Amino acid sequence: MADPIPIIGGTGALGYGLAVRWTQAGEQIVIGSRKAERAAEAADRVRAVFADAEVEGLENAEAVTRGPIVVLTVPFRAQSETLTNLKEALQAGQILVDCTVPTAAAISGKASRTIGVWQGSAAQQAEEMVPEGVTVISALHTVSAPALAEGDPLEEDILICGDRKADKARVAELVERIGGLRAVNAGALEMARIAETLSPLLIAINVRYKSRAGLRITGLPQDDHWA
């Protein structure tokens, strides 16, 4: 049986949407939150959709211990505090998939605008904060949270940035368990500074068109780029 997937911030829109889709794909899910009660409530919501769902809700520090690949879906304003609180819980050998987007919403601005991060990107900030031996991979910035949660058909690409190809491949396999998503190797972790800015761009486009459009990269070869 595959390892559970801990989703930190799983009570939020993106975290919950991912929990729904991975549950639909037959995965075990652990929803993490600052408060165990809220995590349990989110797990109940998933079970209301899938009666046989293998999902539990736990406090963040306990949730991260349940699987080798941890998905961080908190807003940018909560990223630093969350990772600080998880320094004793994250362990060497784990992969942290950082989905954080540094939008101006973190400082009461518009979600369609970005703010600067001293390290270059939210993912690079996360890399500075995680314990030694934890690998940060940047991904899942451009998929619509409502589209995930509400079961919209998906046909889009997910850019994956990271410094170790083998770790990116593991995250790519996890991403592609969600039907309609294709993982694309977008290069080193420093490329996250570009990938993260695509989310506010898509937000602005989707507001204008009243849509849930995603990202598609054309002209890629069919061979496996993760091998």
Side-chain angles (χ1 to χ4, degrees):
M1 183 173 291
D3 293 306
I5 306 169
I7 304 175
I8 305 306
T11 58
L14 177 59
Y16 175 75
L18 290 171
V20 167
R21 289 301 178 120
W22 276 321
T23 297
Q24 186 178 31
E27 303 299 325
Q28 300 178 70
I29 302 299
V30 181
I31 292 177
S33 177
R34 288 180 299 171
K35 296 184 178 180
E37 311 87 74
R38 290 193 63 209
E41 289 172 2
D44 287 341
R45 287 173 61 200
V46 175
R47 278 190 288 268
V49 180
F50 304 102
D52 59 347
E54 294 188 66
V55 56
E56 61 180 329
L58 301 170
E59 191 273 330
N60 283 334
E62 186 176 359
V64 299
T65 67
R66 296 302 182 92
I69 301 179
V70 178
V71 183
L72 182 68
T73 62
V74 299
F76 179 67
R77 63 179 176 273
Q79 185 204 44
S80 179
E81 180 184 0
T82 300
L83 289 177
T84 297
N85 292 337
L86 294 177
K87 279 190 175 181
E88 301 300 321
L90 287 166
Q91 299 296 316
Q94 285 185 299
I95 295 173
L96 179 75
V97 181
D98 185 77
C99 309
T100 312
V101 178
T103 71
I107 51 174
S108 301
K110 293 184 177 180
S112 57
R113 293 177 180 172
T114 59
I115 57 176
V117 183
W118 180 262
Q119 293 84 348
S121 66
Q124 289 168 293
Q125 176 172 278
E127 186 179 42
E128 286 192 358
M129 300 191 68
V130 297
E132 185 175 354
V134 175
T135 300
V136 174
I137 301 295
S138 175
L140 292 163
H141 303 105
T142 54
V143 64
S144 164
L148 288 170
E150 297 173 20
D152 289 10
L154 301 174
E155 189 179 354
E156 57 192 273
D157 293 333
I158 300 298
L159 302 181
I160 299 184
C161 307
D163 295 332
R164 287 172 51 90
K165 193 171 185 178
D167 291 332
K168 286 190 288 185
R170 292 175 65 188
V171 174
E173 195 274 333
L174 190 65
V175 165
E176 291 183 349
R177 293 180 199 174
I178 298 175
L181 297 187
R182 180 180 65 169
V184 173
N185 187 346
L189 191 66
E190 67 178 4
M191 297 302 291
R193 69 185 67 191
I194 298 172
E196 290 172 3
T197 63
L198 296 177
S199 179
L201 174 65
L202 280 172
I203 289 171
I205 290 172
N206 284 328
V207 167
R208 189 171 296 113
Y209 281 85
K210 296 179 174 57
S211 63
R212 293 173 176 176
L215 181 71
R216 193 68 171 172
I217 309 297
T218 64
L220 293 181
Q222 296 298 315
D223 54 314
D224 184 2
H225 193 67
W226 305 101

